[in-house]
């Protein structure tokens, strides 16, 4: 067998056999496109409406950085936060490797607070 004669399918099989990163798109997993999320990462909390999922990133619109949630359980339940810093209009990309947890919320805050 010559490595430069492998088909793409054979290369994918080899990568899977040896613990490599799968080359196929893993799909959205538990993420639901169009839902509003609060996402905690290793350094901050963001909110936004999920518009795309890639193997390495989440893409949000109507996004904001939540500088202070206030009482966390109440903030998640009501989507009402103590400090909100909206991103400019457009898309925000979050690396999936930085995510600690996420939860669907009722609405995305867009007013600075």
């Amino acid at each position: 067998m010559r490595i430069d004669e492998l088909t793409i399918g054979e290369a994918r099989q080899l990568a899977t056999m040896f613990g490599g990163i799968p080359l196929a798109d893993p799909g959205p997993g538990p993420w639901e496109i169009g839902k509003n999320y609060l996402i905690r990462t290793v350094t901050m909390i963001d909110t936004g409406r999920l518009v795309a999922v890639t193997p390495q990133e989440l893409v949000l619109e109507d996004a904001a950085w939540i500088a202070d949630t206030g009482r966390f359980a109440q903030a998640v339940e009501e989507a009402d936060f103590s400090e909100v810093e909206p991103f400019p209009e457009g898309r925000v990309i979050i690396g999936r490797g930085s995510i600690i947890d996420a939860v669907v919320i009722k609405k995305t805050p867009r007013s600075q607070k």
Side-chain angles (χ1 to χ4, degrees):
M1 168 186 3
R2 292 175 38 108
I3 191 109
D4 55 343
E5 294 176 358
L6 291 175
T7 67
I8 292 172
E10 291 167 335
R12 284 185 174 148
Q13 287 176 337
L14 282 171
T16 301
M17 276 179 16
F18 294 104
I21 298 170
L23 299 177
D25 182 356
W31 303 103
E32 295 181 63
I33 303 296
K35 295 280 187 169
N36 299 320
Y37 282 92
L38 176 139
I39 300 169
R40 291 196 300 178
T41 70
V42 294
T43 59
M44 60 181 22
I45 298 173
D46 295 309
T47 59
R49 181 173 42 83
L50 186 64
V51 296
V53 178
T54 74
Q56 301 298 319
E57 296 95 11
L58 299 180
V59 182
L60 303 176
E61 288 184 349
D62 300 329
W65 166 49
I66 306 303
D68 181 6
T69 62
R71 297 293 303 220
F72 188 73
Q74 292 169 325
V76 170
E77 178 65 29
E78 298 300 321
D80 186 22
F81 307 99
S82 294
E83 283 187 64
V84 177
E85 294 291 338
F87 283 94
E89 291 296 321
R91 294 183 166 201
V92 173
I93 301 166
I94 298 174
R96 289 174 71 174
S98 70
I99 296 171
I100 296 170
D101 58 24
V103 63
V104 173
I105 57 175
K106 293 178 181 180
K107 61 186 179 194
T108 58
R110 292 297 297 151
S111 297
Q112 188 174 33
K113 185 175 175 186

